[in-house]
Amino acid sequence: MRVLVTGGAGFLGSHLCDRLIEDGHEVICLDNFFTGNKRNIAHLMGRADFELMRHDVIDPFKAEVDRIYNLACPASPPHYQYNAIKTIKTSVMGAIHCLGLAKRTRARVFQASTSEVYGDPAEHPQRESYWGNVNPVGIRSCYDEGKRCAETLFMDYHRQNGVDIRIARIFNTYGPRMHPDDGRVVSNFIVQALRGEELTIYGDGTQTRSFCHVDDLIEGFVRLMEHPSLTMPVNLGNPGEFTMLELAERVLGKIGGKSKITHLPLPGDDPRQRRPDISLAGGELGWEPKVALDDGLDRTIDYFRKLLAGIPK
Ligand code: NAD
Ligand code: UDP
């Protein structure tokens, strides 16, 4: 098949491009390089089955494709808050353009949605049936509400125009190719520890997240996309739940050195807890994460150790 991946030069997108090429597909990677990097896809450049389009999803685009994965959107809070208006435009216009393209080409289209649609959840763990607890006017709203609106658009194009959709609600995912200055917690802690700097815990560190290794997530993406009929949103994530203090201690335990923990103010609307209920993905896709946090951290630390060796401090 010919597959379009928007945001294909980013962390998740580049792993997805690799997987799709491995599976024998032709890949068109579309990216504006806001948070993505050519380094992530350099190894694919020049291949006959890989094409790179520098383009912004807020402007329309055309391609003759069988599948569209819509991943274009900054994902880390500092990046998506850097230009909040651009973030919401990216989610909403990007979804409209992908859905318009899917309608015309009859391609199946996949939305990279997020656990942020649940906001600061009052239900725990989060099931797909939970409608969420989201502040519409806070500093995370450009991202959370943008992604919620994109889900609405996906469902309405499906109901109204018969577009064949898939929606993954992705929970915190980490691994090689995260940007070293990405700002998300796993990459921050690892990079800080490797540089011998203080590990920055926001707030008291008792908030929780569930961390999924990228290899597990990409397997879930492909299974969901190729499911014959599952058009409702599906949680994809690792149900292991950790406080940020526990995460910091694990990273310190692995890297050693002289780094200490420091506490910084908790940003506004930071969710207190998060853990996916993945029984829908388990039942429908036969999917469950296989990479334990310890193993995934080792692989990610290994990546950053090599990367930082080549980057001046
Ligand atoms: P990332 O920042 O590494 O990748 C996003 C990619 O989209 C980058 O390559 C960036 O340059 C590109 N992009 C951003 N705005 C664009 C635009 N207007 N036009 C074209 N390209 C644009 O982040 P990621 O972690 O790889 O996330 C990928 C997708 O998955 C995002 O949609 C994100 O919301 C979603 N997601 C990720 C996680 C996670 O934990 N990694 C969790 C939930 C949802
Ligand atoms: N966090 C932290 N230190 C950091 C970066 C993040 O303590 O250097 C916290 C953040 O406040 C949040 C959790 O880690 O409670 C996860 O943050 P991240 O930005 O990775 O993802 P999200 O909040 O979007 O789930």
Side-chain angles (χ1 to χ4, degrees):
M1 286 187 287
R2 191 176 296 158
V3 187
L4 173 66
V5 181
T6 77
F11 161 48
L12 298 181
S14 62
H15 285 280
L16 178 61
C17 289
D18 282 347
R19 169 63 188 266
L20 293 168
I21 282 184
E22 227 176 80
D23 288 351
H25 304 297
E26 262 181 55
V27 172
I28 303 173
C29 165
L30 182 155
D31 206 293
N32 73 348
F33 294 106
F34 174 48
T35 53
N37 198 307
K38 280 203 186 132
R39 187 174 55 223
N40 292 339
I41 45 160
H43 58 289
L44 300 175
M45 303 289 275
R47 288 182 62 119
D49 48 9
F50 182 78
E51 194 181 330
L52 176 64
M53 270 167 80
R54 178 186 276 269
H55 186 83
D56 196 307
V57 291
I58 70 170
D59 298 318
F61 40 91
K62 284 193 177 139
E64 300 307 317
V65 288
D66 308 291
R67 297 279 188 267
I68 304 165
Y69 286 88
N70 183 33
L71 272 62
C73 187
S76 116
H79 289 155
Y80 70 64
Q81 287 162 18
Y82 171 76
N83 184 344
I85 297 167
K86 176 71 192 246
T87 298
I88 197 159
K89 275 189 186 168
T90 295
S91 267
V92 174
M93 299 308 297
I96 290 173
H97 291 140
C98 286
L99 287 159
L101 184 64
K103 184 178 164 194
R104 184 177 65 77
T105 58
R106 299 188 181 280
R108 185 176 293 169
V109 58
F110 173 108
Q111 169 64 2
S113 190
T114 168
S115 53
E116 295 288 333
V117 301
Y118 302 122
D120 188 10
E123 177 180 302
H124 192 74
Q126 294 79 52
R127 281 173 300 180
E128 290 85 350
S129 53
Y130 179 50
W131 290 354
N133 176 32
V134 178
N135 178 357
V137 293
I139 55 168
R140 294 175 83 100
S141 311
C142 60
Y143 183 76
D144 301 8
E145 297 290 16
K147 290 283 186 181
R148 284 170 68 94
C149 183
E151 285 198 9
T152 307
L153 284 160
F154 267 67
M155 291 309 297
D156 284 335
Y157 268 77
H158 173 62
R159 281 188 287 253
Q160 211 170 310
N161 298 123
V163 173
D164 194 11
I165 61 160
R166 302 288 181 272
I167 301 172
R169 289 188 179 152
I170 306 162
F171 285 65
N172 299 61
T173 300
Y174 68 98
R177 298 193 195 151
M178 293 184 90
H179 195 286
D181 301 320
D182 178 279
R184 282 179 278 187
V185 70
V186 175
S187 46
N188 266 13
F189 285 176
I190 292 176
V191 169
Q192 288 162 343
L194 288 173
R195 287 181 170 154
E197 296 167 356
E198 290 181 325
L199 270 62
T200 53
I201 289 192
Y202 303 159
D204 64 6
T206 57
Q207 70 272 36
T208 67
R209 294 292 187 273
S210 301
F211 298 105
C212 184
H213 188 267
V214 60
D215 291 352
D216 283 330
L217 187 80
I218 298 299
E219 179 63 33
F221 275 18
V222 171
R223 288 190 191 205
L224 175 56
M225 180 62 118
E226 297 313 322
H227 187 284
S229 58
L230 191 59
T231 54
M232 296 306 287
V234 180
N235 287 341
L236 293 178
N238 190 319
E241 186 180 356
F242 300 88
T243 66
M244 295 313 102
L245 271 171
E246 285 169 337
L247 180 69
E249 275 154 14
R250 279 196 193 215
V251 170
L252 283 178
K254 286 177 180 298
I255 296 178
K258 54 183 173 8
S259 294
K260 301 247 173 329
I261 286 174
T262 184
H263 290 266
L264 296 178
L266 189 69
D269 293 337
D270 201 281
R272 284 289 316 150
Q273 55 180 2
R274 189 181 285 156
R275 173 154 61 99
D277 179 321
I278 55 166
S279 36
L280 181 61
E284 288 288 337
L285 312 177
W287 177 85
E288 62 171 7
K290 298 206 164 20
V291 183
L293 184 63
D294 269 322
D295 182 17
L297 284 179
D298 287 340
R299 297 191 211 175
T300 312
I301 290 168
D302 200 42
Y303 168 79
F304 278 115
R305 214 186 278 282
K306 288 183 189 132
L307 184 79
L308 295 186
I311 297 179
K313 218 174 151 183

